[in-house]
Amino acid sequence: MNHQDSQYAAQAANLAKTYDPLDLEIKQDPYPYYAKLRRDEPVKWIEGLQAFAVARYDDVDTVLKDASIFSSAQFWPALLGEFDPVPEVPPMISMDPPNHMQLRKLVNRAFLPTQVNALTQRTVDIANQLIDDLAEKYGSEGECDWVWDFTSLYPVTVISEVLGVPSERRAEFKVWVDDVLAAANRAAYGPERLAEIRKSSDAVRAFFEELYDQRTANPGNDMISQLIQAEVDGVRLTRIEVIQMAILLLIGGVETTTNLLGNSLVELKRRPEVYARLRKEPALIPQFIDEVLRFNPVVQMIFRHTTCNTELAGVHMPKGSAIMVLLASANRDETKFSDSESFDMDRKSSVPLMSFGQGPHFCLGKYLSLMETRSALEIVFKRFETLEPVSDKVEWIDSYFARGPHHLRVRYKLS
Ligand code: HEM
C-alpha cells in the first residue's frame, strides 16, 4: 500500500457518514466512500435512491456483461424520470438485446475510428477558433471561466457538426443537456429547479422536432438526414425514434467530453510536473487522458435493473431491483489496479477501464471523445504559455452521476 492508498484506507475507516449519493459533501469527494464500500459492503442498499450500489470491479463487470439478468430497459426512466424529453420510445442506451443491437448498428458506422479520424482537422480548427474568440473577448492574457469559455463550447460544436445542427445555438444546448441530466437529482430539488429542468426538456425536444421536419423536407449530408432515411430490417425509424436518437447523441456527446477536458485541467493543476512533461512530450497526451478517465471518470455510475431474483457478492436482489453500477469505484479497485488511489499516467493496466462501460452498451462515442480531447489538449499546449486554475478548490457539478467542474476560473497567457 503506498502513501495515498493508506491515506484513503484511513479516511475510509474514519468516515462519519455512510455512503449516500445524494449527500452534497459526498458528491464533492465520493472516493473514500467508494473505498469503504469495496472493503465493507461491496453491494449496498441505498435508501435514498432505492437501489443497490455495486462497488467492486468484478461485480461491475458481471452486471454490465449479463444483459439477461441486468437489464438496461429502466436506465433512462430511472435517470430522467418524468423529465425524459421523449418518453414515448426508449433510447438505445435503455434497450436490451436483440432490439438494442439493431438500433446500434444504424449509428455505429458514424463512430468507427476511420470516420472519426476524418473529423480530426475540424476539431483542431474548432479548438483554435474558440481560443481566438477567447482572446478577442478577454485579451491575450487574463482570466476566464475555462468551462464556460472553452470546454463546454468545444464538444457541442463538434457534435453539432456531426448531427448537422446549427452551432450558433450551442450555448443553449449546453444548458439543455445540463438541465436534462440534472433530472437524476430530482429527488433533492425544489419546484423552481424542477421547472427549469422541465423547460429545458421541452426545449430540446421542440428543437429536434423542428429540425426533423426541416431535414425531411430538405435532406442534407448530416446524421439526422441519414437517420431519417436509414432502415432496420426494411423498416424506417419513426419521427419520434429519430428525435430520441439525436437527443441521446447530443447528451452523450456534450457533457462527457466537456467534463473530461475539465477534469484534465484539474489533474494538471494538482501535478505541475505532469503538466511540464506533457508540454514537452505531447505524444504522451493519450496515456494522460486514459489515467484521468480512470482516476476521476466523468461518468461515475450507470443504472441497471434485475430481470429475476438474483444474488451478487452474497446479497440477495429481488426481481425488479434497481442497481447503481459504480464505474468510478471499479476503476479504483485495489485488486485490479496497483496503487489504485494514486494518479499515475505511466501505469500499465492489465484490465480494461470501466469508464466507457463494458458489454453490449459499451460507449459508442469513445473514439470520438478521445480524439476530440487529444486534439484540444494539443492545441491548448501549443497556444497557451500559461493556463492554470486560480484555485486548488474545485466546484464540482452537483451530480452523483456526472463528474466535472461546474466552473473553472483560470489565469492564462497566450504564447
Ligand atoms: C469521455 C467521454 C465519454 C464517456 C466517459 C462515456 C461513457 C459512456 C458509458 C459509461 C456508456 C455505457 C452506458 C451503459 O452501459 O449503460 C456510454 C454509452 C454511450 N455513449 Fe458514451 N461516453 C463518452 C462520450 C460519448 C460521446 C462523445 C458520444 C457520442 C456522441 C457518446 C455516445 C454514447 C452512446 C450513444 C451510448 C449508448 C450505447 C449503447 O447503448 O449501445 N458517448 N458512454
Side-chain angles (χ1 to χ4, degrees):
M1 215 184 247
N2 78 355
H3 174 64
Q4 209 164 355
D5 268 351
S6 55
Q7 216 181 9
Y8 264 97
Q11 232 178 315
N14 292 319
L15 291 172
K17 296 178 181 175
T18 52
Y19 175 63
D20 172 4
L22 295 172
D23 183 295
L24 274 180
E25 201 184 307
I26 295 174
K27 269 188 266 185
Q28 289 302 301
D29 184 13
Y31 294 104
Y33 292 87
Y34 295 155
K36 191 167 184 207
L37 288 180
R38 284 193 306 275
R39 196 191 57 191
D40 299 339
E41 279 180 288
V43 175
K44 178 181 168 59
W45 176 249
I46 308 290
E47 195 59 37
L49 285 175
Q50 294 289 296
F52 289 98
V54 175
R56 285 186 185 157
Y57 187 99
D58 285 338
D59 294 332
V60 164
D61 197 53
T62 301
V63 172
L64 295 185
K65 286 181 177 161
D66 192 346
S68 66
I69 297 182
F70 303 101
S71 159
S72 288
Q74 294 303 313
F75 184 175
W76 227 227
L79 190 71
L80 304 184
E82 66 274 32
F83 297 98
D84 180 351
V86 190
E88 298 93 328
V89 288
M92 130 177 97
I93 203 166
S94 202
M95 288 169 80
D96 290 326
N99 294 350
H100 160 256
M101 196 37 96
Q102 286 177 322
L103 213 52
R104 187 172 162 116
K105 270 194 210 143
L106 265 182
V107 275
N108 195 25
R109 254 198 77 240
F111 292 95
L112 293 175
T114 42
Q115 298 291 320
V116 167
N117 289 341
L119 285 170
T120 307
Q121 188 52 46
R122 265 312 283 150
T123 61
V124 168
D125 295 344
I126 292 168
N128 272 317
Q129 183 60 52
L130 286 172
I131 295 169
D132 291 345
D133 292 350
L134 194 147
E136 203 177 312
K137 214 162 142 193
Y138 307 110
S140 60
E141 195 173 343
E143 282 190 13
C144 68
D145 183 339
W146 189 238
V147 171
W148 291 87
D149 288 310
F150 187 83
T151 65
S152 65
L153 300 179
Y154 171 71
V156 91
T157 312
V158 175
I159 196 69
S160 297
E161 290 212 1
V162 172
L163 287 174
V165 164
S167 63
E168 306 88 65
R169 297 184 67 181
R170 62 194 180 188
E172 277 173 275
F173 294 164
K174 163 74 178 146
V175 174
W176 295 341
V177 171
D178 277 2
D179 280 352
V180 170
L181 284 176
N185 281 332
R186 60 196 176 281
Y189 290 144
E192 227 168 84
R193 182 74 185 110
L194 293 178
E196 283 171 1
I197 297 174
R198 177 80 274 148
K199 206 169 144 208
S200 287
S201 174
D202 292 345
V204 72
R205 178 181 174 131
F207 176 84
F208 280 105
E209 280 179 344
E210 202 185 315
L211 196 70
Y212 177 96
D213 295 338
Q214 280 171 11
R215 292 288 189 277
T216 308
N218 292 306
N221 193 21
D222 54 87
M223 194 184 265
I224 307 269
S225 301
Q226 285 158 14
L227 285 172
I228 293 171
Q229 287 154 23
E231 289 187 0
V232 198
D233 294 339
V235 180
R236 286 201 173 176
L237 295 179
T238 62
R239 180 173 186 265
I240 208 74
E241 283 170 336
V242 172
I243 292 166
Q244 179 64 289
M245 179 72 90
I247 293 176
L248 174 67
L249 294 173
L250 183 69
I251 291 179
V254 172
E255 173 95 357
T256 46
T257 310
T258 295
N259 289 340
L260 179 53
L261 278 168
N263 292 358
S264 296
L265 201 62
V266 168
E267 298 308 336
L268 287 174
K269 160 82 174 166
R270 291 174 174 163
R271 295 171 187 81
E273 71 292 352
V274 173
Y275 203 161
R277 193 173 162 207
L278 290 180
R279 289 188 79 103
K280 247 195 246 149
E281 284 183 83
L284 300 179
I285 289 173
Q287 71 190 64
F288 165 74
I289 297 172
D290 272 358
E291 182 63 353
V292 174
L293 277 165
R294 185 196 72 83
F295 189 73
N296 201 6
V298 301
V299 179
Q300 293 273 303
M301 51 135 304
I302 49 188
F303 282 109
R304 293 291 188 267
H305 284 76
T306 52
T307 57
C308 55
N309 291 337
T310 188
E311 203 186 287
L312 202 61
V315 175
H316 173 71
M317 296 166 158
K319 178 180 174 180
S321 299
I323 303 188
M324 301 171 60
V325 189
L326 299 177
L327 306 176
S329 173
N331 274 352
R332 291 204 186 197
D333 191 320
E334 32 293 281
T335 66
K336 301 291 172 186
F337 302 94
S338 59
D339 294 346
S340 64
E341 306 284 8
S342 300
F343 186 96
D344 175 9
M345 61 177 262
D346 296 312
R347 72 171 58 247
K348 304 266 177 281
S349 299
S350 54
V351 294
L353 301 183
M354 285 295 170
S355 318
F356 291 101
Q358 281 298 323
H361 291 278
F362 186 78
C363 178
L364 206 61
K366 178 184 168 181
Y367 288 107
L368 176 62
S369 70
L370 291 182
M371 182 277 281
E372 279 180 78
T373 309
R374 191 188 63 230
S375 282
L377 289 180
E378 280 172 8
I379 297 301
V380 162
F381 290 147
K382 248 192 227 153
R383 300 275 315 264
F384 288 97
E385 192 179 309
T386 319
L387 179 73
E388 191 191 14
V390 295
S391 166
D392 289 330
K393 208 171 153 3
V394 181
E395 187 195 329
W396 296 103
I397 295 168
D398 178 20
S399 167
Y400 57 85
F401 168 77
R403 184 145 174 101
H406 182 45
H407 292 281
L408 198 59
R409 193 96 207 128
V410 292
R411 207 173 289 121
Y412 71 87
K413 186 175 176 192
L414 286 163
S415 307

